[in-house]
Each structure stands twice: as C-alpha cells, then as structure tokens.
Amino acid sequence: MKPAQFDYFAPAKIRDALALLEEYKDEAKILAGGQSLMPLLNMRLARPRALIDINRITSHSYIRRENSVLAIGALTRHREIETSPLVRQKCPVLAEAVRWIGYPQIRNRGTMGGSLAHAHPAAELPAVVTALRGELRVIGPAGERTVKAEEFFQGFFTVALEPNEILSEVRLALWPKNAGFSFKEINRRHGDFAIAGVAALISLNERKECAESSIVLAGVNPTPLRAKRSEKLLKGRKITRDIIETAAALAAEDSDPPSDVHGSADYRRELVKVIVRRALEEAGARAMQNEK
Amino acid sequence: MARMYPIKLTVNGIEYERTVEARKLLADFLRDDLELTGTHVGCEHGACGACTVIMNGQTAQSCLMLAVQADGAEILTVEGLADGAGLHPIQQAFLDCHALQCGFCTPGVLLSAHALLQENSHPTEEEIRQGISGHICRCTGYVNIVKAIQAAAEKTAVAPLNAK
Ligand SMILES: Cc1cc2nc3c(=O)[nH]c(=O)nc-3n(C[C@H](O)[C@H](O)[C@H](O)COP(=O)(O)OP(=O)(O)OC[C@H]3O[C@@H](n4cnc5c(N)ncnc54)[C@H](O)[C@@H]3O)c2cc1C
Ligand code: FES
Ligand code: FES
C-alpha cells in the first residue's frame, strides 16, 4: 500500500521543528530514519496530517565523550554507532548491541532517537540504554528536560514524550575500564527482532567480587526489564557458576514475556535463563580478564 | 489537489528536476516518474530488500524513503551499474556463477554487493552473508550469490563507482 496524503516539512533547525509540532499538535509525526514509521505510513496504520522530517537537522548527529558520559545525538544513525571507534573503546556493549539491529540498509538509515522514541519491546537500543543507566534529553516548547531511561519507557510502544516534544540526545554513563560486558540475543535469523535479548555489565572490586552489575532484558516485557533481583544477588559476591545459575533463574522468573508466532511465553522464559547465564559468564570472564 | 514539492537529484549521474507529491515513495518515483524499473518493489515495508538503491554512497531501501527526502541526493540504481553495453564486473560474476533465477531480488542484491565491495574489497563469506542479509531471494538459496560476490571480489579489488 501507499501512504495517505500529508503535508511535509523538512526544517533545518530544531526550533522550527518545535514550532511545527506546536502548530499541528498530535496530528503531526516526526520522521527520523523512517525505518519504523515508513512501514506504518505505507500500511496506513499511521495517517498524520503533517510529517516533520528532522533529517536536515544535522546538529543532532554526533557521538561525543563528555568526562564520564558518552553523549549521542538523537539523529545519529545506527551505522555511525556501529563503526565509531569511540563507542567500541568506551562503550563496547553498545557497539555489540547495535550490530544486531536489522540489516545494513536499516542501520544506514535508522537513528538512535527513533529507536528509543519508537520503543519496540524487543529492540536492542532501549535495553542497552537502560542497562547503561542512560538519561534522555527532551526539548519542548518550555525548554529542555532530562528523563531517566527507566522512566522514559512506560509501556508497550509508549514513552514519556509529549506530542510537542523532541528527543534530542541520549547520555550514557561510562563504566570503569575494567568492567566486563556482554550482549546476547536469540532470533531465528540475525537481523530479526530478538525473541529474547539481554545486555549485561559487571564491575569487580579489589577482592574480585561483583561491585556493580546491570542486567536488562529485551523482548520479554512491554518495556526493557531490569533484572533487579539478579543484580542484587550478584552484588558483593564472587561470580561463580552457582551464582550465575541462580541469577539467571531469577531473571526468568521476573520476566513477563508475550506468546506469539515467534515463541510461547514459556519458551521465552527458558531462553531468558539461557541467555542471562551466557551473558553473565561472558561479562564475568571479561571483567576477570581486565583485572589481570 | 495535493501540494506538489519540487526536487532536484542525481540518479546514475544524470540530474533530474521534478515535482512530486510528498507521499510518493522514492521507489515509485524511480519506477514511475523516471521509468527506471530496475528497482523492484516487493514488500513495501523494508523486509525484502528488492527496492535497495545506493544513496550518497550507502544502501537504503527506497520503499522506506519519500522522493522529497532525496532532494539533493546522489542515487545509484541497478541501471547505473553497467557501463554502456558491458556488464559491471559484479553483474558478470552473477551471470557466470548462476546467481540468479527469476531475477526479482537481483537488482537490490547487486547494489548491496557493490556497496559491500566498495567498503571491503576482500570480504569473508560471513561478511558477505551479513552484507546481503537484508535481501530475500526465493529462488537461489543464496549459495551462488555468495560465490558470485566472492568471484567479483577476486576480479575487482577496486571496482569504480559508476555514479559520476
Ligand atoms: C525490516 C526491519 C527490521 C528491523 N529490525 C530491527 C531490529 O532487529 N532491532 C531494532 O531495534 N530495530 C529494528 N528495526 C527498526 C529500526 O531500528 C528503526 O531504525 C528504529 O526502530 C526507528 O528509528 P528511525 O530513526 O528509523 O525512526 P522513525 O521510523 O523515523 O520513527 C519512529 C518513531 O519515533 C518517532 N521519533 C523519531 N525520532 C524522534 C525524535 N528525535 N524525537 C521524538 N520522536 C521521534 C517518530 O515520530 C516515530 O513515531 C527494523 C526495521 C525494519 C524495517
Ligand atoms: S520493497 Fe522495499 S524492502 Fe521490500
Ligand atoms: S532470483 Fe528469484 S528471488 Fe532471487
């Protein structure tokens, strides 16, 4: 099918985009990479009166290090993140996760901001940004505000964005250099949305016990799911096989996966156990390696 | 009457100026307005890769872009690969290796292969498979496509980009 009619604007400044949003209110849609919105327009599942294309706002495409934070502009394409030496060096879990998004064509166009605003329950970036305790910068008519990732993702395809607001930047806290990370996902084909996925980070204290960990699941809950009981269990403990098994079982218990054509809820819960185990083994081993 | 938007873009080295409705997909613009029907349309939701073109040096699915968005862009479609009557080395390799049957997926796969070899002149089999992962081919089973891209890589360590 083909999109229904709409008015089209391609402002070069975020200010002009905000003014258009004010004018059209919830009858407008922002167009970023289009890799989620265009299919919806083509299938007429979305029929906005105005489309505000933000691709000409080049000021919002960047990856910068600001002390202990990695700041990424909302219009930064998946491909730029995938190939950025800075990301690979300072935030390898993000570099690893982004490779799992779709195919080369999708990654060439799709953006960080679009992926977070769209908030597909199985998407990689919302999970990783939550795992890195990310903060999202949002611009609206009243100015700028910052939302924690955990509060940004509110429900199934629902985020803390008003119709007159634009997501402008994501800020990721960098983990210590010796932290171990892992990103695992299971799908039928590389490039499909995850049936279940997990981002994990572990840092160790001087006794080689877990100082801090972060475990966030994708695809098994309406929003990215922080496995808080597993994180709590690891804290202050040695990363042994038994602890990992228990942490993985807790994460499986805490997930609330859907049943669909890709797998039943029980199957997904079983996958969670497997991938969390693998992720913690890998993140733990990497952290130990880094300690040497 | 729907509002019309003027656009100016370069396709296969030729500059075009046209006016389009905002909702016109780039794929439909190429096929219907420019009569470049080598760009195929399969799924219209980004899943099959048949509509892949190269825009400003990178592959993009032309069913997930509006023609208005291509204003100012440089686009390469399958028609721009061959230089006159001679096939492009990647096209020749597809012919030699029997890498197509019905040919519906072929224009898109050729462009992804081209983009891949521009970036990485000696890809591994795994890299080739990743490079064409955005394409569905219902005929070949991909084996001969991978072989053809390997053959093309061997022959043309540096294939020139034909979009002038
Ligand atoms: C075949 C296919 C496979 C895919 N596979 C995956 C996958 O495996 N994993 C995955 O995570 N994704 C996948 N995607 C989706 C892809 O990652 C998209 O890039 C992403 O979901 C949306 O980003 P976008 O920039 O394309 O946003 P768009 O499609 O342009 O927009 C998506 C939504 O976000 C809103 N929006 C965009 N930017 C902003 C902003 N700055 N502020 C406020 N609102 C905004 C839009 O209004 C729209 O509602 C796939 C897509 C396709 C077509
Ligand atoms: S027609 Fe564009 S990806 Fe299928
Ligand atoms: S050759 Fe028929 S779909 Fe690929």
PDB file of all heavy atoms in Angstrom, chain A residues 171-187:
ATOM      1  N   ARG A 171      22.353  10.299  26.945  1.00  0.00           N
ATOM      2  CA  ARG A 171      23.610  10.398  27.691  1.00  0.00           C
ATOM      3  C   ARG A 171      23.829   9.097  28.456  1.00  0.00           C
ATOM      4  O   ARG A 171      22.989   8.706  29.269  1.00  0.00           O
ATOM      5  CB  ARG A 171      23.563  11.603  28.654  1.00  0.00           C
ATOM      6  CG  ARG A 171      23.300  12.913  27.904  1.00  0.00           C
ATOM      7  CD  ARG A 171      23.191  14.092  28.841  1.00  0.00           C
ATOM      8  NE  ARG A 171      24.437  14.351  29.546  1.00  0.00           N
ATOM      9  CZ  ARG A 171      25.474  14.968  29.012  1.00  0.00           C
ATOM     10  NH1 ARG A 171      25.416  15.407  27.766  1.00  0.00           N
ATOM     11  NH2 ARG A 171      26.557  15.175  29.712  1.00  0.00           N
ATOM     12  N   LEU A 172      24.942   8.448  28.159  1.00  0.00           N
ATOM     13  CA  LEU A 172      25.212   7.139  28.753  1.00  0.00           C
ATOM     14  C   LEU A 172      26.374   7.240  29.725  1.00  0.00           C
ATOM     15  O   LEU A 172      27.438   7.778  29.378  1.00  0.00           O
ATOM     16  CB  LEU A 172      25.560   6.130  27.658  1.00  0.00           C
ATOM     17  CG  LEU A 172      24.511   5.993  26.542  1.00  0.00           C
ATOM     18  CD1 LEU A 172      25.035   5.132  25.405  1.00  0.00           C
ATOM     19  CD2 LEU A 172      23.215   5.424  27.095  1.00  0.00           C
ATOM     20  N   ALA A 173      26.164   6.731  30.930  1.00  0.00           N
ATOM     21  CA  ALA A 173      27.236   6.745  31.913  1.00  0.00           C
ATOM     22  C   ALA A 173      28.270   5.685  31.518  1.00  0.00           C
ATOM     23  O   ALA A 173      27.918   4.533  31.285  1.00  0.00           O
ATOM     24  CB  ALA A 173      26.663   6.444  33.291  1.00  0.00           C
ATOM     25  N   LEU A 174      29.534   6.083  31.431  1.00  0.00           N
ATOM     26  CA  LEU A 174      30.570   5.113  31.071  1.00  0.00           C
ATOM     27  C   LEU A 174      30.940   4.280  32.290  1.00  0.00           C
ATOM     28  O   LEU A 174      31.051   4.798  33.398  1.00  0.00           O
ATOM     29  CB  LEU A 174      31.806   5.850  30.539  1.00  0.00           C
ATOM     30  CG  LEU A 174      31.568   6.587  29.220  1.00  0.00           C
ATOM     31  CD1 LEU A 174      32.810   7.347  28.800  1.00  0.00           C
ATOM     32  CD2 LEU A 174      31.132   5.615  28.141  1.00  0.00           C
ATOM     33  N   TRP A 175      31.122   2.987  32.054  1.00  0.00           N
ATOM     34  CA  TRP A 175      31.538   2.104  33.141  1.00  0.00           C
ATOM     35  C   TRP A 175      33.051   2.129  33.260  1.00  0.00           C
ATOM     36  O   TRP A 175      33.736   2.489  32.314  1.00  0.00           O
ATOM     37  CB  TRP A 175      31.019   0.692  32.867  1.00  0.00           C
ATOM     38  CG  TRP A 175      29.578   0.561  33.241  1.00  0.00           C
ATOM     39  CD1 TRP A 175      28.556   1.320  32.775  1.00  0.00           C
ATOM     40  CD2 TRP A 175      29.022  -0.360  34.190  1.00  0.00           C
ATOM     41  NE1 TRP A 175      27.386   0.931  33.366  1.00  0.00           N
ATOM     42  CE2 TRP A 175      27.636  -0.094  34.237  1.00  0.00           C
ATOM     43  CE3 TRP A 175      29.545  -1.369  35.001  1.00  0.00           C
ATOM     44  CZ2 TRP A 175      26.777  -0.806  35.072  1.00  0.00           C
ATOM     45  CZ3 TRP A 175      28.676  -2.081  35.819  1.00  0.00           C
ATOM     46  CH2 TRP A 175      27.314  -1.802  35.861  1.00  0.00           C
ATOM     47  N   PRO A 176      33.561   1.744  34.451  1.00  0.00           N
ATOM     48  CA  PRO A 176      35.023   1.711  34.595  1.00  0.00           C
ATOM     49  C   PRO A 176      35.640   0.813  33.511  1.00  0.00           C
ATOM     50  O   PRO A 176      35.002  -0.108  33.023  1.00  0.00           O
ATOM     51  CB  PRO A 176      35.230   1.112  35.979  1.00  0.00           C
ATOM     52  CG  PRO A 176      33.898   0.694  36.489  1.00  0.00           C
ATOM     53  CD  PRO A 176      32.858   1.363  35.660  1.00  0.00           C
ATOM     54  N   LYS A 177      36.900   1.138  33.176  1.00  0.00           N
ATOM     55  CA  LYS A 177      37.567   0.451  32.069  1.00  0.00           C
ATOM     56  C   LYS A 177      37.622  -1.063  32.253  1.00  0.00           C
ATOM     57  O   LYS A 177      37.564  -1.820  31.293  1.00  0.00           O
ATOM     58  CB  LYS A 177      38.993   0.995  31.928  1.00  0.00           C
ATOM     59  CG  LYS A 177      39.124   1.713  30.640  1.00  0.00           C
ATOM     60  CD  LYS A 177      40.428   2.006  29.999  1.00  0.00           C
ATOM     61  CE  LYS A 177      41.766   1.536  30.318  1.00  0.00           C
ATOM     62  NZ  LYS A 177      42.669   2.690  30.422  1.00  0.00           N
ATOM     63  N   ASN A 178      37.704  -1.493  33.520  1.00  0.00           N
ATOM     64  CA  ASN A 178      37.860  -2.928  33.754  1.00  0.00           C
ATOM     65  C   ASN A 178      36.531  -3.685  33.855  1.00  0.00           C
ATOM     66  O   ASN A 178      36.508  -4.872  34.132  1.00  0.00           O
ATOM     67  CB  ASN A 178      38.717  -3.172  34.995  1.00  0.00           C
ATOM     68  CG  ASN A 178      38.136  -2.451  36.202  1.00  0.00           C
ATOM     69  OD1 ASN A 178      37.085  -1.815  36.107  1.00  0.00           O
ATOM     70  ND2 ASN A 178      38.821  -2.547  37.333  1.00  0.00           N
ATOM     71  N   ALA A 179      35.423  -2.996  33.639  1.00  0.00           N
ATOM     72  CA  ALA A 179      34.129  -3.691  33.703  1.00  0.00           C
ATOM     73  C   ALA A 179      34.015  -4.678  32.538  1.00  0.00           C
ATOM     74  O   ALA A 179      34.572  -4.461  31.470  1.00  0.00           O
ATOM     75  CB  ALA A 179      32.990  -2.688  33.654  1.00  0.00           C
ATOM     76  N   GLY A 180      33.285  -5.769  32.780  1.00  0.00           N
ATOM     77  CA  GLY A 180      33.040  -6.738  31.707  1.00  0.00           C
ATOM     78  C   GLY A 180      31.639  -6.535  31.169  1.00  0.00           C
ATOM     79  O   GLY A 180      30.751  -6.113  31.906  1.00  0.00           O
ATOM     80  N   PHE A 181      31.450  -6.826  29.889  1.00  0.00           N
ATOM     81  CA  PHE A 181      30.125  -6.611  29.312  1.00  0.00           C
ATOM     82  C   PHE A 181      29.740  -7.811  28.455  1.00  0.00           C
ATOM     83  O   PHE A 181      30.592  -8.621  28.066  1.00  0.00           O
ATOM     84  CB  PHE A 181      30.127  -5.370  28.421  1.00  0.00           C
ATOM     85  CG  PHE A 181      30.826  -5.606  27.109  1.00  0.00           C
ATOM     86  CD1 PHE A 181      30.111  -6.033  25.998  1.00  0.00           C
ATOM     87  CD2 PHE A 181      32.195  -5.463  26.993  1.00  0.00           C
ATOM     88  CE1 PHE A 181      30.754  -6.296  24.797  1.00  0.00           C
ATOM     89  CE2 PHE A 181      32.847  -5.722  25.803  1.00  0.00           C
ATOM     90  CZ  PHE A 181      32.118  -6.136  24.704  1.00  0.00           C
ATOM     91  N   SER A 182      28.457  -7.901  28.155  1.00  0.00           N
ATOM     92  CA  SER A 182      28.006  -8.899  27.200  1.00  0.00           C
ATOM     93  C   SER A 182      26.662  -8.479  26.635  1.00  0.00           C
ATOM     94  O   SER A 182      25.856  -7.850  27.329  1.00  0.00           O
ATOM     95  CB  SER A 182      27.877 -10.267  27.877  1.00  0.00           C
ATOM     96  OG  SER A 182      27.425 -11.224  26.929  1.00  0.00           O
ATOM     97  N   PHE A 183      26.437  -8.793  25.380  1.00  0.00           N
ATOM     98  CA  PHE A 183      25.108  -8.618  24.799  1.00  0.00           C
ATOM     99  C   PHE A 183      24.754  -9.902  24.069  1.00  0.00           C
ATOM    100  O   PHE A 183      25.513 -10.366  23.224  1.00  0.00           O
ATOM    101  CB  PHE A 183      25.062  -7.427  23.828  1.00  0.00           C
ATOM    102  CG  PHE A 183      23.667  -7.187  23.338  1.00  0.00           C
ATOM    103  CD1 PHE A 183      22.797  -6.366  24.041  1.00  0.00           C
ATOM    104  CD2 PHE A 183      23.194  -7.833  22.205  1.00  0.00           C
ATOM    105  CE1 PHE A 183      21.493  -6.192  23.624  1.00  0.00           C
ATOM    106  CE2 PHE A 183      21.886  -7.667  21.780  1.00  0.00           C
ATOM    107  CZ  PHE A 183      21.029  -6.840  22.490  1.00  0.00           C
ATOM    108  N   LYS A 184      23.647 -10.505  24.446  1.00  0.00           N
ATOM    109  CA  LYS A 184      23.239 -11.766  23.809  1.00  0.00           C
ATOM    110  C   LYS A 184      21.806 -11.635  23.330  1.00  0.00           C
ATOM    111  O   LYS A 184      20.976 -11.014  24.016  1.00  0.00           O
ATOM    112  CB  LYS A 184      23.283 -12.918  24.829  1.00  0.00           C
ATOM    113  CG  LYS A 184      24.653 -13.190  25.390  1.00  0.00           C
ATOM    114  CD  LYS A 184      25.461 -14.047  24.446  1.00  0.00           C
ATOM    115  CE  LYS A 184      26.886 -14.194  24.951  1.00  0.00           C
ATOM    116  NZ  LYS A 184      27.861 -14.342  23.879  1.00  0.00           N
ATOM    117  N   GLU A 185      21.544 -12.213  22.192  1.00  0.00           N
ATOM    118  CA  GLU A 185      20.136 -12.294  21.793  1.00  0.00           C
ATOM    119  C   GLU A 185      19.909 -13.532  20.957  1.00  0.00           C
ATOM    120  O   GLU A 185      20.839 -14.071  20.354  1.00  0.00           O
ATOM    121  CB  GLU A 185      19.660 -11.004  21.109  1.00  0.00           C
ATOM    122  CG  GLU A 185      19.728 -10.942  19.636  1.00  0.00           C
ATOM    123  CD  GLU A 185      19.047  -9.675  19.072  1.00  0.00           C
ATOM    124  OE1 GLU A 185      19.145  -8.582  19.682  1.00  0.00           O
ATOM    125  OE2 GLU A 185      18.428  -9.780  18.012  1.00  0.00           O
ATOM    126  N   ILE A 186      18.662 -13.979  20.985  1.00  0.00           N
ATOM    127  CA  ILE A 186      18.318 -15.148  20.189  1.00  0.00           C
ATOM    128  C   ILE A 186      17.185 -14.765  19.257  1.00  0.00           C
ATOM    129  O   ILE A 186      16.194 -14.177  19.685  1.00  0.00           O
ATOM    130  CB  ILE A 186      17.941 -16.335  21.099  1.00  0.00           C
ATOM    131  CG1 ILE A 186      19.218 -16.802  21.811  1.00  0.00           C
ATOM    132  CG2 ILE A 186      17.301 -17.466  20.280  1.00  0.00           C
ATOM    133  CD1 ILE A 186      19.112 -18.064  22.591  1.00  0.00           C
ATOM    134  N   ASN A 187      17.410 -15.019  17.974  1.00  0.00           N
ATOM    135  CA  ASN A 187      16.351 -14.829  16.990  1.00  0.00           C
ATOM    136  C   ASN A 187      16.512 -15.879  15.896  1.00  0.00           C
ATOM    137  O   ASN A 187      17.517 -16.572  15.856  1.00  0.00           O
ATOM    138  CB  ASN A 187      16.341 -13.405  16.433  1.00  0.00           C
ATOM    139  CG  ASN A 187      17.721 -12.889  16.107  1.00  0.00           C
ATOM    140  OD1 ASN A 187      18.641 -13.669  15.877  1.00  0.00           O
ATOM    141  ND2 ASN A 187      17.888 -11.597  16.085  1.00  0.00           N
TER     142      ASN A 187
END
